[in-house]
Amino acid sequence: MRERKKPSKIHQMTHRFPAKEIALQSGLSTATVDRVLNARAGVSPQAKRRVETALRELEAQEQQLSARGRRLVIDVVAEAPSRFLREIRSSTERALSTFRPLSIRARFTFHETLSVPDCVAELVRIAKRGSDGVCLKARDVPEIRNAISDLTMRGIPVVTIFTDCPSSQRTAYAGLDNYKAGQTAGYLMSGLLNGADGTVLATQSDRGFQGEEDRLDGFRQQFSRSRPDVPILEVGSGAGLNRRTAEAIEKAYEKGTRIIGVYSMGGGNHGVIKTLTQFRQKPIAIIGHDLDEDNVDLLRSEALTLVLYHDLEQDMRTAIQHILAHRRVLPNAPPDNSLSDIQIITPLTIPDRYCP
């Protein structure tokens, strides 16, 4: 018995586009398109692929056109110092403008400090009132992971930003590779110290943030490899706020300790420098994160040696793309490995956007 020929992939594909439109999109003749769509003989593999590609492109364009009349609302929930929250807001607004003519509105829920119960309560409120997606900067703890799962079960995508909750059911993560950032800081610190003896101070805003834990792990691993003789004094719970960071350092500092370097993962750098000055400490190198207004001022005055920077606008654009792809407004989500580049900013290389 003669084996029946399997129908081609194109023949099985449903579509609602006229052959003329597919021909225009693919660059083929209408007759060739008709032969491909009806699985007739004498069609090259290249022609089939071009028709398949044209159909995918037309479907994506149709989705975008249908979304133009739709108003999307996303929620941005973050716990961070006010100076960094301002950067998140402005970066989000710039990122949203790149999706025009789509109409996307952001609702911001910002707190300098946000307890775990309060964060969970906010996510529960979002779940009840509805949202097209959530961009979330929060601590990686079981209660918040459970709240993320609840949002996901309700069909609301959650993209963690800048710091991840990797074991949650979040849709994606948008930000930098924090472990590699810590390794970069460790590599730079060991070179900047140039063999000096003493102690390196490493400060975090809160140990509940997975991103800062990853930075610290990367820093420890890289720095200790080249300078195993230099102890690391770890200080947390400053919330990235100047006063609280200063108080945390005062409690941890032991008289007679020589601080030769500082790796500040969570901010509060005015507090760091003020406290070390009170203890008559003048570190050889101070490495910070992010170009918020405090760090830009400290870089200009050369109080900071350098800052590890990632483009917040690009991070927010990536997060929004994940949400739009989940909502089928965009055909594809960014690749899972699309993390931000780590940029090293010195007093001489501050981007123009941050200059007066």
Side-chain angles (χ1 to χ4, degrees):
M1 182 182 288
R2 181 183 294 177
E3 186 179 349
R4 287 187 66 188
K5 237 181 156 182
K6 289 184 181 179
S8 74
K9 183 178 177 183
I10 288 290
H11 188 65
Q12 294 174 330
M13 185 184 297
T14 59
H15 67 90
R16 54 196 170 278
F17 305 104
K20 285 183 179 179
E21 194 171 350
I22 299 170
L24 183 64
Q25 186 73 20
S26 65
L28 300 170
S29 69
T30 305
T32 300
V33 168
D34 183 71
R35 288 200 300 273
V36 172
L37 293 175
N38 291 287
R40 296 194 178 101
V43 177
S44 70
Q46 292 87 349
K48 290 180 181 178
R49 284 197 295 270
R50 286 172 68 175
V51 171
E52 289 173 352
T53 300
L55 285 171
R56 286 196 297 270
E57 290 171 348
L58 288 168
E59 286 172 355
Q61 291 168 16
E62 187 176 67
Q63 287 174 344
Q64 291 173 343
L65 286 168
S66 66
R68 289 184 182 184
R70 178 179 171 190
R71 188 176 184 83
L72 298 162
V73 179
I74 64 171
D75 286 275
V76 183
V77 180
E79 177 188 0
S82 58
R83 61 184 184 277
F84 190 60
L85 294 174
R86 286 191 288 273
E87 290 296 318
I88 295 175
R89 180 186 289 272
S90 61
S91 296
T92 301
E93 290 169 348
R94 289 195 301 274
L96 287 173
S97 69
T98 66
F99 291 96
R100 291 173 184 155
L102 296 179
S103 177
I104 310 171
R105 181 168 64 87
R107 292 186 298 219
F108 296 98
T109 303
F110 285 168
H111 297 273
E112 283 204 314
T113 56
L114 185 63
S115 70
V116 170
D118 286 344
C119 183
V120 169
E122 183 56 43
L123 296 178
V124 168
R125 279 193 290 272
I126 291 171
K128 287 180 178 177
R129 76 185 176 208
S131 176
D132 288 297
V134 179
C135 299
L136 177 66
K137 180 185 182 294
R139 304 175 209 186
D140 182 25
V141 296
E143 298 90 336
I144 291 175
R145 290 196 291 269
N146 290 338
I148 292 172
S149 297
D150 182 58
L151 285 163
T152 302
M153 289 174 61
R154 292 170 181 259
I156 300 174
V158 178
V159 180
T160 51
I161 51 175
F162 319 134
T163 182
D164 200 6
C165 297
S167 59
S168 70
Q169 293 184 32
R170 50 87 165 141
T171 302
Y173 165 69
L176 79 168
D177 184 326
N178 284 293
Y179 185 80
K180 283 187 179 178
Q183 284 183 309
T184 302
Y187 175 83
L188 293 167
M189 183 67 76
S190 62
L192 290 165
L193 296 183
N194 196 27
D197 295 323
T199 296
V200 167
L201 173 65
T203 64
Q204 295 174 277
S205 66
D206 191 295
R207 290 190 170 93
F209 288 112
Q210 182 64 39
E212 291 186 25
E213 283 295 295
D214 288 344
R215 291 176 188 179
L216 183 57
D217 287 345
F219 181 79
R220 282 198 209 103
Q221 183 269 339
Q222 184 64 40
F223 183 74
S224 297
R225 178 187 296 175
S226 56
R227 292 299 308 272
D229 57 309
V230 176
I232 300 172
L233 174 61
E234 298 174 11
V235 175
S237 305
L241 304 175
N242 290 314
R243 181 181 58 80
R244 287 179 57 175
T245 302
E247 290 171 353
I249 294 171
E250 287 172 3
K251 289 179 182 177
Y253 179 79
E254 293 183 5
K255 190 175 180 180
T257 302
R258 184 190 176 205
I259 304 296
I260 55 173
V262 178
Y263 178 37
S264 172
M265 288 158 271
N269 291 323
H270 277 296
V272 172
I273 293 167
K274 181 179 178 181
T275 304
L276 292 180
T277 301
Q278 289 172 352
F279 290 135
R280 298 185 179 180
Q281 299 293 313
K282 191 172 182 181
I284 297 167
I286 303 179
I287 298 175
H289 268 272
D290 302 314
L291 286 177
D292 59 45
E293 56 203 37
D294 280 10
N295 283 350
V296 171
D297 288 342
L298 291 169
L299 264 180
R300 283 202 194 100
S301 65
E302 300 187 11
L304 283 181
T305 310
L306 57 88
V307 163
L308 300 181
Y309 168 71
H310 56 109
D311 189 338
L312 301 187
E313 181 181 339
Q314 180 57 50
D315 293 339
M316 294 308 302
R317 188 179 299 114
T318 299
I320 296 163
Q321 286 172 334
H322 278 293
I323 291 171
L324 295 180
H326 181 90
R327 293 295 178 195
R328 301 186 182 278
V329 176
L330 294 181
N332 298 303
D336 289 338
N337 61 350
S338 56
L339 299 175
S340 295
D341 293 329
I342 302 166
Q343 302 176 45
I344 301 168
I345 307 296
T346 72
L348 300 177
T349 59
I350 300 172
D352 291 342
R353 185 164 67 83
Y354 295 93
C355 295

